[in-house]
Amino acid sequence: MPQQTAEHSRIPDEQQQRTGYRRLFSLPGARAFTAGNLIARLPMGMFGVSAVVMIAASRGSYALAGAVTATGLAATGLAGPWIARLVDRHGQARVAVPATLTAVLGSLALLLCVHYGAPDWTLFAAYAATAATPNIGGLSRARWAHLLREDPGALHTANSFEQAADELCFMLGPVLASFLTGTFFPEAGTLTGAALLLAGMLLFTAQRATEPPPQARSKAPSPLRSPGIPPLLACFVATGAVFGSMEVVTIAYADTQGHRAAAGAVLALQAAGSCAAGLLYGALRPAGLRLAQCLPAMAVLMTLPWLAATAAGSLVALAGALLVAGMATAPTMVTAMTLVQKCTPADRLNEGMSLVVTALLTGIACGSAAGGWAAEHVSPAAAFAVPAGAATVALLINSASTAVRWRGRRSIPQPR
């Protein structure tokens, strides 16, 4: 029997010592595709703010700017699952690169139409083309699921990192867009965002070794028909309503306090709390934590901004409440996203992830409308009940779904 040398014995020890995020990014190619992913994902938090500032500065109408961005949001919700299905069938690089080029051309077309005073309808058409932007977060999560398919613990860490990256990019994106549009010229945010999206996607798709293999003709059913997916998507709609309503209501509340310019910084604290909680959740990997426990925590913590606004009446108190409330978001999203990965057929994973984005966008749109109505017709402070209510709806949806599944199992005849 050959003797094991000291050098050979050190290799397993070193591998065992790599835990958490260190182990994650020691995988070959992981750092490279993550770098491209983050560069391409940052503009997702920039485009909306940049478009609003650019259009409002040129046309003098926030109503037109809001309508154009809402059209792009709706188009993204419709186009996203279709693009993701093409990715599953033909591969990430073959689909994501031309789709990104289409989206970049749409952004540049919007910039030119605004700059040269083209008719209003051209703004809608140009911004609708940006719906071709691939779901970069979903593409990255699909790579982790492929690389870590036999290691659920590491996949949990990867999903937590991805959620923290989402929060970080949506926290920094609006700040960067506001800085560029305010410091240089109104079109600077859109131009920079388009350049970052294209550069990041080219770097991401160049990492072919980590790309999941395409499935030309999937025999698996649509993710919409997979057991457990519809109620999860309904939960994501309600969670999106939390995000959309919280943003609008916070801006309205800060405006009534005479500090509208501080609204972005206050909202950034919510994203910062979620980002920190996501990273911690991924590092600790708590055993046994389920969606049925995350959703009640989110429903409870989302009442804190409501209490801070109505009882304290202070923007500082609201900022602290948003920081704490944001800590419930990432664990809930990570747990729900992991369930989507488990329930979705492996060869239609990108499509399943894209459906999640569509559900979130639908919820954000509904939440924004409900939060805006409540802030205008009731009061900005009382309107914080809308995100708290949306979190409660997500909890009720999951509870009802769990009860239905439990009754279904009990109704199945047991063998004697």
Side-chain angles (χ1 to χ4, degrees), residues 217-256:
R217 294 193 178 187
S218 173
K219 295 181 180 179
S222 166
L224 285 172
R225 290 186 286 168
S226 299
I229 290 293
L232 280 173
L233 293 178
C235 280
F236 277 115
V237 171
T239 305
V242 174
F243 301 150
S245 58
M246 188 68 79
E247 180 176 357
V248 172
V249 172
T250 300
I251 293 173
Y253 183 80
D255 195 14
T256 60

Side-chain angles (χ1 to χ4, degrees), residues 27 42 51-52 87 89-90 119 184 196 204 264 290 329 349 412:
L27 295 172
L42 181 60
V52 168
V87 168
R89 291 180 182 177
H90 304 289
F184 299 102
L196 289 173
F204 177 83
R290 299 183 178 181
T329 305
L349 188 56
I412 298 176

Side-chain angles (χ1 to χ4, degrees), residues 149-199:
R149 55 190 177 278
E150 297 179 358
D151 193 342
L155 183 58
H156 167 82
T157 303
N159 284 333
S160 299
F161 170 78
E162 290 296 326
Q163 185 60 39
D166 278 341
E167 300 293 347
L168 181 65
C169 291
F170 278 101
M171 178 175 63
L172 297 179
V175 176
L176 179 58
S178 299
F179 170 77
L180 291 171
T181 55
T183 305
F184 299 102
F185 47 92
E187 297 87 353
T190 298
L191 191 60
T192 303
L196 289 173
L197 174 61
L198 181 59

Side-chain angles (χ1 to χ4, degrees), residues 34-43 169 193 195-201 203:
T34 298
N37 168 271
L38 292 177
I39 294 172
R41 200 185 301 196
L42 181 60
C169 291
L196 289 173
L197 174 61
L198 181 59
M201 189 62 75
L203 176 59

